Amino acid sequence: MAGAAMAETAATQAAERPLVSVDVVLFTLGGPVRQGRPGLQVLLARRARPPFAGCWALPGCFVGPTESLEVAAHRAIRHLTTARGIYLEQLYTFGEPDRDPRGRVITIGYYALVRADQVQFPAAPAGAEAECAAWFPADALPPLAFDHDYIIGYARWRLRNKIEYTDIAFQVLPDRFSLTHLRQVYEAVLGETLDKRNFNRKVLSSGLLVETGAVQGGQAHRPARLYAFVRRQPGGTIAPVAPGQAAPRQHDHDAGKD
Amino acid sequence: MAGAAMAETAATQAAERPLVSVDVVLFTLGGPVRQGRPGLQVLLARRARPPFAGCWALPGCFVGPTESLEVAAHRAIRHLTTARGIYLEQLYTFGEPDRDPRGRVITIGYYALVRADQVQFPAAPAGAEAECAAWFPADALPPLAFDHDYIIGYARWRLRNKIEYTDIAFQVLPDRFSLTHLRQVYEAVLGETLDKRNFNRKVLSSGLLVETGAVQGGQAHRPARLYAFVRRQPGGTIAPVAPGQAAPRQHDHDAGKD
DNA sequence: GCAAAAGTGTTCGGAATACACCCATGG
DNA sequence: CCATGGGTGTATTCCGAACACTTTTGC
């Protein structure tokens, strides 16, 4: 809420108002193939300014006075990525008073799983301290600024949970993909090997995939069939909703349990 | 993060810093018994000051300069409640630029399910516009200030999900309770009737309950056995953790899937 | 023809569901 | 003795887990 207890006005001194930032944990799949699958990677930016100058940190920025949190989060990665339409999900808000040495900074974390080719790095300015960005294996992160290692750890934990009951895995896949590709996404996020037969049966019976008829070319050996992800058709449900029985309320943030 | 992109300093004008508040959605069970169970209720406070003076709203307050978000959330309800140790869970952060007519206010929502007797109302000051608090049935809320109806709707949705896989239901129960009492909590939160036999079997086989030996007195008819909630014994696990296999990382916020 | 990855069927056990009757107590 | 809520057992179904061989293609 706002203002029931404290008599705070717009004239409040700046020192009493915390700074508000957003930090984005972008995950992708890539790197060397280990255990038959690529690894989970995290996008980090090298800080050009103190505090923690030269240190790696999550992409982030302060929230503008009339800017929504989602817009700020997109702005934080816009100078690194070309693709629009990345679906960012709010992670958590970190507000411990001592988490930033400059003073009180509250940060709202966002995260997403994206295709690596959606994120392109501009030519890095010269200089050892220059700001630049790179993917790092989630299992071998460099020392990080602030509490960003904790934020990333929490984001990984959420991603592991969310991938079980949301569509989040499809965000990292191209329009057409093989079942093996899809399974590798799950394996990389979950950190474990999945049974191919059980996995295929499950995703095919979910009704979320359609066979495109195309097959994967270029590889040696047997080509894989390619599938496409089909969203639940908006308004095209077979069973009509009973009158008087309101459709479950939609919350555009957080499509699953959490 | 903080400060990678914008060159913001402590001298930033107050107008550019958003206000940060916390709002708390306190749920309890009470009210008239309908469909064999009490209903879900929400604690609301009547606003004494503009905006929305005289309107009902969630208890909330602004976050102090050196105060953690959790502490602020507890402070928001401290003048209404006597019990300490309420387990508040972070819900979501609402930051749309126009959600408060006074200007930019970002609010971090918290929620909890508590026993009604933990919350005691101080004698309300006289006057129609005086600040006071009361429980309202979650299905019949008055018009609310700000976007608080949306926040409550989201909190109810989260509560429904969380009760399936967390201990949250036990927070609303006394130390000793009957299985029927526990089931009524689930039924009120889920909004549906549960099969008594299947429910009892499930909760008893979960290992989270111990029979106290006591029975419920005072009622007519057969007295119910009383159970107590047993937390997972810390360090008393039977199966030893395999060496080299790190225990899963703990995140003290969000004990379940989120 | 061989190496490599794709693709498929069956069995088993545990969990969730549906369902109906007896028990203990106070009045 | 009866009204009321407490307490229990069984059959069925569904889902997840385990497990190994055949097929297709490029080379």
Side-chain angles (χ1 to χ4, degrees):
Chain A
M1 86 76 97
M6 288 175 64
E8 185 137 10
T9 71
T12 304
Q13 304 152 16
E16 295 205 354
R17 298 193 179 203
L19 285 167
V20 178
S21 66
V22 290
D23 285 307
V24 180
V25 188
L26 268 193
F27 291 105
T28 195
L29 261 63
V33 172
R34 271 184 275 242
Q35 296 146 356
R37 57 175 181 262
L40 194 65
Q41 294 186 301
V42 179
L43 185 69
L44 297 177
R46 195 168 54 187
R47 291 178 58 80
R49 278 181 291 268
F52 297 100
C55 198
W56 293 95
L58 291 172
C61 62
F62 288 104
V63 177
T66 61
E67 183 183 47
S68 80
L69 302 176
E70 283 81 5
V71 168
H74 278 104
R75 181 166 59 82
I77 55 173
R78 183 164 304 151
H79 68 293
L80 301 172
T81 179
T82 54
R84 284 294 288 130
I86 287 182
Y87 175 62
L88 288 170
E89 191 152 347
Q90 195 185 103
L91 174 66
Y92 195 77
T93 296
F94 303 89
E96 290 306 305
D98 56 352
R99 59 175 296 281
D100 190 310
R102 288 166 296 186
R104 189 66 188 279
V105 179
I106 291 168
T107 196
I108 297 104
Y110 282 81
Y111 73 106
L113 184 61
V114 298
R115 299 205 310 272
D117 62 271
Q118 289 180 300
V119 179
Q120 293 176 356
F121 304 115
E129 295 289 289
E131 192 171 80
C132 62
W135 292 108
F136 285 81
D139 289 321
L141 295 175
L144 295 175
F146 307 108
D147 51 359
H148 288 188
D149 55 343
Y150 181 77
I151 295 177
I152 293 173
Y154 184 50
R156 284 189 73 178
W157 176 82
R158 274 280 283 276
L159 182 62
R160 271 197 300 274
N161 287 320
K162 281 269 181 183
I163 203 174
E164 304 270 19
Y165 57 91
T166 68
D167 300 341
I168 206 170
F170 296 103
Q171 297 173 22
V172 78
L173 292 170
D175 291 342
R176 299 170 162 203
F177 51 87
S178 67
L179 294 183
T180 296
H181 195 175
L182 178 60
R183 181 164 43 83
Q184 286 175 342
V185 175
Y186 277 80
E187 289 180 339
V189 169
L190 297 174
E192 61 185 325
T193 300
L194 301 175
D195 183 274
K196 180 171 48 161
R197 288 160 292 194
N198 294 334
F199 181 84
N200 288 6
R201 192 177 16 244
K202 185 151 90 169
V203 297
L204 287 177
S205 70
S206 75
L208 295 175
L209 297 188
V210 285
E211 202 169 337
T212 62
V215 294
Q216 199 160 35
Q219 286 76 352
H221 321 306
R222 178 172 180 174
R225 298 181 208 170
L226 295 179
Y227 294 82
F229 173 58
V230 53
R231 285 196 167 67
R232 302 198 170 286
Q233 54 272 31
T237 38
I238 310 295
V241 177
Q245 187 177 1
R249 181 154 178 185
Q250 292 294 337
H251 295 281
D252 51 358
H253 48 270
D254 212 345
K257 295 185 181 176
D258 175 38
Chain B
M1 86 78 90
M6 288 175 62
E8 185 138 13
T9 71
T12 304
Q13 303 153 15
E16 295 207 353
R17 299 193 179 204
L19 285 166
V20 178
S21 67
V22 290
D23 285 308
V24 181
V25 188
L26 269 192
F27 292 106
T28 195
L29 259 64
V33 172
R34 271 184 273 241
Q35 296 146 353
R37 61 181 117 95
L40 193 64
Q41 295 186 300
V42 180
L43 185 70
L44 297 178
R46 195 168 55 188
R47 292 179 57 81
R49 278 181 291 269
F52 297 100
C55 196
W56 293 96
L58 292 172
C61 63
F62 288 103
V63 177
T66 60
E67 183 184 47
S68 80
L69 302 175
E70 283 81 5
V71 168
H74 277 105
R75 181 166 59 81
I77 55 173
R78 184 165 302 150
H79 68 292
L80 301 173
T81 179
T82 54
R84 284 292 290 126
I86 286 181
Y87 175 62
L88 288 171
E89 192 152 345
Q90 195 184 102
L91 174 65
Y92 196 76
T93 295
F94 302 89
E96 290 306 304
D98 56 353
R99 57 175 297 281
D100 190 311
R102 289 167 296 186
R104 188 68 189 277
V105 180
I106 291 168
T107 196
I108 296 104
Y110 281 82
Y111 73 105
L113 183 61
V114 299
R115 298 204 311 271
D117 62 270
Q118 289 180 301
V119 179
Q120 293 177 356
F121 304 115
E129 295 289 287
E131 190 171 81
C132 62
W135 293 108
F136 285 81
D139 289 321
L141 296 175
L144 295 174
F146 308 108
D147 50 0
H148 288 188
D149 56 342
Y150 180 77
I151 295 176
I152 293 173
Y154 184 50
R156 283 189 74 177
W157 177 82
R158 273 280 283 275
L159 182 62
R160 270 198 301 275
N161 287 320
K162 281 270 182 184
I163 203 173
E164 304 270 20
Y165 57 91
T166 68
D167 300 340
I168 205 169
F170 297 103
Q171 297 173 21
V172 78
L173 293 169
D175 291 343
R176 299 169 164 204
F177 51 87
S178 67
L179 294 182
T180 295
H181 195 174
L182 178 61
R183 181 164 42 84
Q184 285 175 341
V185 175
Y186 277 81
E187 290 179 340
V189 170
L190 296 175
E192 61 184 328
T193 301
L194 301 175
D195 184 274
K196 178 170 54 161
R197 289 161 291 196
N198 294 334
F199 180 85
N200 288 4
R201 197 182 5 249
K202 184 151 90 168
V203 297
L204 287 176
S205 70
S206 75
L208 294 176
L209 297 187
V210 284
E211 204 169 331
T212 63
V215 294
Q216 199 160 35
Q219 284 77 354
H221 320 306
R222 178 172 180 174
R225 297 181 208 169
L226 296 180
Y227 293 82
F229 173 57
V230 53
R231 287 196 165 63
R232 302 199 169 285
Q233 54 275 27
T237 40
I238 311 295
V241 176
Q245 186 176 4
R249 181 155 178 184
Q250 293 293 337
H251 294 281
D252 51 359
H253 49 270
D254 212 344
K257 293 185 184 176
D258 156 10

